[in-house]
């Protein structure tokens, strides 16, 4: 009996970067960190997890049955496995059916929650999905937003309910069970070794200053981008778009028109403020010093 | 429950006994005597011998005793008896010798939902218990040989089979391809049932009408396309297996032949619900089955099938080209 380490985030918030860095930490001998993408921490919504756990064809299940069976499958996989199971998650942390969390606390070892300024998320999402900025902002403000396999791709993952951006954040910060480890993308950009170290400690992954530095070096943004340019990187982005695009924090200042920025702030202001995204430059958000964050 | 098939249902007692089978059908060469209506199977036209498989309708116990595997949907007892359940649809009890299945419907017994899981997980369990090898694949006949398209759920196995059907290739099976390794002339595919289960949008793209077709589940836009007139009733030697894959970086229809351990690993991955083989205590069979299948005449392949524009036509062309070579 073991359990899951959920590596959770809203889409385009640094989830892949964190996963690749954790993958490099766990397997320092791999040829290139970018190659671990397909192996380490697959998507929790992959249909094969349910099928492997429950011996049932997901294509024959109704959406309601699949929702109800996801936590059952996670419990079963946790019971059958002898090693921690790492999964990427974009779903909001909601109930699968009333009173039953989609990600059962009793099958959870740890949760790493990566958050990013929603204004940067909107710009990145527009590029990723091949849509306009206005549509991207609308998506971040839509309480019914659902991530589905893109047209022209096999539906290997189940639809993932996201809620709106701040609904997603709240769902994970308020999730039942052991409190998640909150990681800010911006802090990872500023000091990747420190943030990776905090993630590893929370997830129970052994790390030293040396192994952290090596994992950080292996997953530097320019290295990942160069690897993508050489070999390609299929992270589900729209055709012709780069997966590793800018890797910066604050790019929205030049990319996002003021009216769209205002719309994001109006919809998500309280959560943004709590996470320090509305603080003046250099000012440490008071919320980040809360006990909730440091664990 | 006021359906006639429940009229003689016995409540309680062990072992459970169900209704007397009346439907006489054909599945994988077996004579199936079923109390559950099985309209998607061909009528039995063979001899008067006893049924190879009896399907009864009756109570299924909540719990098996002496379980070696006990998970929410599947229980396996030490003697090989299996209990599979889809909540709200049906519970299925498979006898230790895999010659009798008792079905306890949770909905109308003639609902297609019950048959969907009967021809899926339950068929897989029956195959493993009977020493047959099920692949997670749809299968058509090309020339004198069977060609299986294997891959993960959602990869488009049935759609590819339908596209090959339109090119004149008779269908042998959909989603579960049953292989007899014991045949003296090499692995043979046993014909399953004459229908393909297809999503409505895929059918529309291929020009198949959905009007009047049965839905596999009322809630799903997935339909049962009957293919009786274009169904291979005879078992056929397995010639090739194509494993459908997304990529990376290739357009649809790019093929690569696998050899040696890579081919065996590919087949191991394509075994239908390969975890069930382990749960049934047949792990040792897994390797020998995979190795045996790597020896089929035209081999084990991967074919990229990423669902981009034109992908289906390219994959069909690539498979036909490889089989013509």
């Amino acid at each position: 009996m073991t359990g899951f380490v959920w590596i959770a985030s809203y889409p385009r918030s640094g989830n892949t970067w964190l996963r690749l860095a954790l993958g490099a930490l766990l397997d320092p001998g791999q040829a290139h960190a970018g190659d671990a993408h397909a192996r380490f921490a697959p998507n929790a919504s992959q249909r094969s997890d349910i099928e492997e756990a429950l011996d049932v064809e997901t294509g024959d299940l109704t959406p309601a049955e699949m929702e109800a069976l996801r936590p059952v499958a996670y419990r079963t996989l946790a019971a059958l496995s002898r090693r921690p199971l790492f999964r990427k998650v974009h779903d909001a942390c909601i109930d699968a059916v009333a009173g039953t969390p989609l990600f059962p606390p009793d099958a959870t070892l740890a949760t790493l929650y990566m958050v990013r300024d929603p204004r940067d998320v909107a710009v990145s999402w527009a590029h990723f999905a091949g849509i306009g900025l206005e549509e991207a902002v609308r998506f971040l403000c839509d309480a019914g937003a659902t991530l589905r396999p893109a047209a022209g791709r096999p539906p290997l993952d189940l639809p993932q309910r996201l809620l709106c951006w701040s609904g997603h954040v709240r769902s994970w910060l308020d999730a039942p069970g052991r409190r998640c480890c909150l990681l800010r993308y911006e802090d990872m950009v500023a000091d990747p070794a420190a943030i990776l170290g905090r993630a590893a400690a929370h997830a129970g992954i052994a790390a030293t200053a040396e192994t952290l530095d090596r994992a950080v070096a292996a997953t530097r943004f320019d290295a990942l981008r160069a690897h993508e340019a050489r070999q390609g990187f299929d992270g589900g982005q729209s055709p012709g778009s780069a997966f590793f695009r800018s890797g910066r924090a604050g790019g929205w200042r030049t990319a996002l028109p003021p009216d769209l920025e205002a719309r994001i702030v109006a919809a998500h202001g309280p959560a943004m403020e709590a996470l320090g995204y509305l603080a003046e430059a250099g000012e440490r958000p008071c919320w980040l010093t809360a006990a909730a964050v440091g664990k | 429950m006021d359906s006639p098939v429940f009229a003689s249902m016995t409540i309680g007692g062990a072992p459970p006994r169900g209704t007397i089978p009346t439907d006489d059908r054909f599945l994988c060469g077996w004579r199936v005597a079923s109390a559950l209506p099985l309209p998607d199977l061909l009528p039995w036209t063979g001899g008067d011998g006893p049924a190879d498989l009896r399907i009864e309708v009756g109570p299924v116990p909540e719990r098996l005793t002496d379980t070696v595997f006990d998970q929410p949907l599947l229980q396996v007892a030490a003697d090989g008896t299996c209990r599979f359940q889809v909540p709200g649809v049906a519970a299925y009890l498979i006898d230790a010798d895999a010659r009798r299945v008792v079905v306890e419907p949770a909905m109308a017994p003639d609902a297609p939902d019950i048959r969907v899981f009967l021809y899926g997980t339950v068929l897989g369990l029956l195959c493993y218990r009977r020493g047959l090898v099920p692949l997670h694949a749809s299968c058509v006949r090309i020339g004198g040989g069977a060609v299986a398209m294997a891959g993960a759920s959602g990869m488009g196995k049935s759609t590819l089979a339908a596209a090959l059907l339109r090119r004149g290739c008779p269908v042998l099976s959909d989603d579960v391809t049953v292989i007899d390794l014991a045949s003296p002339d090499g692995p043979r595919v046993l014909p399953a049932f004459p229908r393909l289960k297809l999503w409505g949008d895929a059918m529309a793209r291929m020009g198949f009408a959905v009007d009047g077709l049965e839905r596999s589940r009322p809630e799903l836009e997935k339909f049962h396309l009957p293919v009786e007139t274009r169904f291979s009733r005879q078992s056929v030697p397995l010639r090739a297996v194509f494993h459908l894959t997304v990529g990376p970086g290739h357009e649809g229809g790019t093929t690569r032949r696998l050899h040696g351990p890579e081919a065996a690993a590919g087949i191991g991955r394509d075994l239908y619900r390969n975890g069930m083989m382990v749960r049934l205590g047949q792990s040792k069979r897994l390797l020998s089955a995979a190795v045996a299948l790597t020896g089929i005449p035209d081999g084990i392949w991967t074919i990229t099938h990423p669902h981009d524009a034109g992908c289906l036509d390219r994959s069909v062309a690539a498979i036909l080209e490889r089989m013509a070579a």
Side-chain angles (χ1 to χ4, degrees), chain A residues 47 51-63 65 69 72 76 79-80 151-156 234, chain B residues 69 71-74 84 89 116-117 121 136 153-155 175 197 217 219-220 222 246 273 276 279 306-308:
Chain A
R47 294 166 61 169
E51 300 190 341
E52 188 188 322
L54 302 178
D55 301 299
V56 69
E57 172 72 33
T58 50
D60 293 332
L61 297 173
T62 66
E65 286 168 344
L69 286 175
V72 179
T76 304
L80 293 175
R153 285 174 178 273
L156 302 179
D234 186 5
Chain B
F69 182 79
Q71 291 302 331
L73 302 196
L74 178 66
F84 178 67
V89 176
V116 161
F117 298 103
T121 300
H136 194 195
S153 300
M155 277 307 299
D175 204 41
K197 198 168 50 184
R217 311 284 311 271
E219 300 88 343
L220 300 181
K222 207 169 189 181
V246 176
R273 306 275 89 86
M276 288 197 315
R279 317 201 202 301
H307 293 206
D308 55 340

Side-chain angles (χ1 to χ4, degrees), chain B residues 45-87:
Chain B
T45 54
D48 288 332
D52 301 292
L53 176 66
R54 289 169 64 87
I55 297 175
E56 301 173 3
V57 177
V60 170
E62 276 294 317
R63 314 266 337 134
L64 296 184
T65 54
D66 197 18
T67 52
V68 292
F69 182 79
D70 189 352
Q71 291 302 331
L73 302 196
L74 178 66
Q75 299 168 35
V76 180
D79 69 353
T81 303
C82 301
R83 182 193 192 277
F84 178 67
Q85 178 173 22
V86 179

Side-chain angles (χ1 to χ4, degrees), chain A residues 135-173:
Chain A
E135 194 180 338
V137 170
R138 208 179 310 130
F139 188 78
L140 263 73
C141 297
D142 179 3
T146 299
L147 197 59
R148 299 178 191 280
R153 285 174 178 273
L156 302 179
D157 294 330
L158 300 174
Q160 299 141 68
R161 283 195 282 160
L162 300 179
L163 309 177
C164 67
W165 177 83
S166 47
H168 193 277
V169 172
R170 272 197 303 273
S171 79
W172 281 100
L173 297 186

Side-chain angles (χ1 to χ4, degrees), chain B residues 68-233:
Chain B
V68 292
F69 182 79
D70 189 352
Q71 291 302 331
L73 302 196
L74 178 66
Q75 299 168 35
V76 180
D79 69 353
T81 303
C82 301
R83 182 193 192 277
F84 178 67
Q85 178 173 22
V86 179
V89 176
Y92 308 82
L93 182 75
I94 298 102
D95 266 9
D97 65 356
R99 303 192 79 79
R100 188 173 75 109
V101 177
V102 181
V103 182
E104 181 174 344
M107 49 175 54
D110 60 350
D113 315 58
I114 296 169
R115 283 177 271 129
V116 161
F117 298 103
L118 182 68
Y119 304 145
T121 300
V122 175
L123 177 58
L125 289 165
L126 287 168
C127 289
Y128 283 128
R129 293 292 307 157
R130 286 170 170 242
L132 299 166
V133 176
L135 289 187
H136 194 195
S138 296
C139 190
V140 299
R141 197 182 76 209
I142 300 179
V147 176
M149 281 78 63
S153 300
M155 277 307 299
K157 301 180 290 293
S158 303
T159 306
L160 193 48
L164 284 160
L165 171 74
R166 290 183 65 209
R167 299 289 294 268
C169 306
V171 171
L172 276 150
S173 62
D174 186 25
D175 204 41
V176 186
T177 292
V178 180
I179 298 167
D180 182 4
L181 288 178
S183 179
D185 58 345
R188 293 185 80 86
V189 174
L190 307 180
F193 37 82
R195 66 123 175 92
L196 293 171
K197 198 168 50 184
L198 297 165
W199 289 102
D201 54 353
M203 292 181 70
R205 279 197 297 274
M206 288 187 288
F208 290 111
V210 302
D211 303 339
L213 296 185
E214 180 183 64
R215 284 173 190 258
S216 66
R217 311 284 311 271
E219 300 88 343
L220 300 181
E221 288 288 319
K222 207 169 189 181
F223 298 88
H224 289 162
L225 177 71
V227 296
E228 279 98 344
T229 57
R230 293 159 294 172
F231 180 68
S232 175
R233 290 167 179 257

Side-chain angles (χ1 to χ4, degrees), chain A residues 55-144:
Chain A
D55 301 299
V56 69
E57 172 72 33
T58 50
D60 293 332
L61 297 173
T62 66
E65 286 168 344
M66 267 187 290
E67 281 283 293
L69 286 175
R70 278 181 70 180
V72 179
Y74 296 140
R75 282 203 182 90
T76 304
L77 287 174
L80 293 175
S81 181
R82 277 173 285 182
R83 294 179 186 166
L85 299 162
F86 291 86
R87 289 292 182 277
K88 158 190 165 179
V89 181
H90 283 324
D91 306 79
C93 191
I94 51 180
D95 280 0
V97 291
T100 305
L102 179 56
F103 302 102
D106 52 297
T108 298
L109 296 175
T111 301
L112 306 172
Y113 186 72
M114 183 80 121
V115 69
R116 184 185 189 185
D117 188 323
R119 294 166 293 194
D120 277 336
V121 172
V123 174
S124 182
W125 175 249
H127 282 276
F128 177 88
I131 57 176
L133 287 169
E134 184 160 6
E135 194 180 338
V137 170
R138 208 179 310 130
F139 188 78
L140 263 73
C141 297
D142 179 3

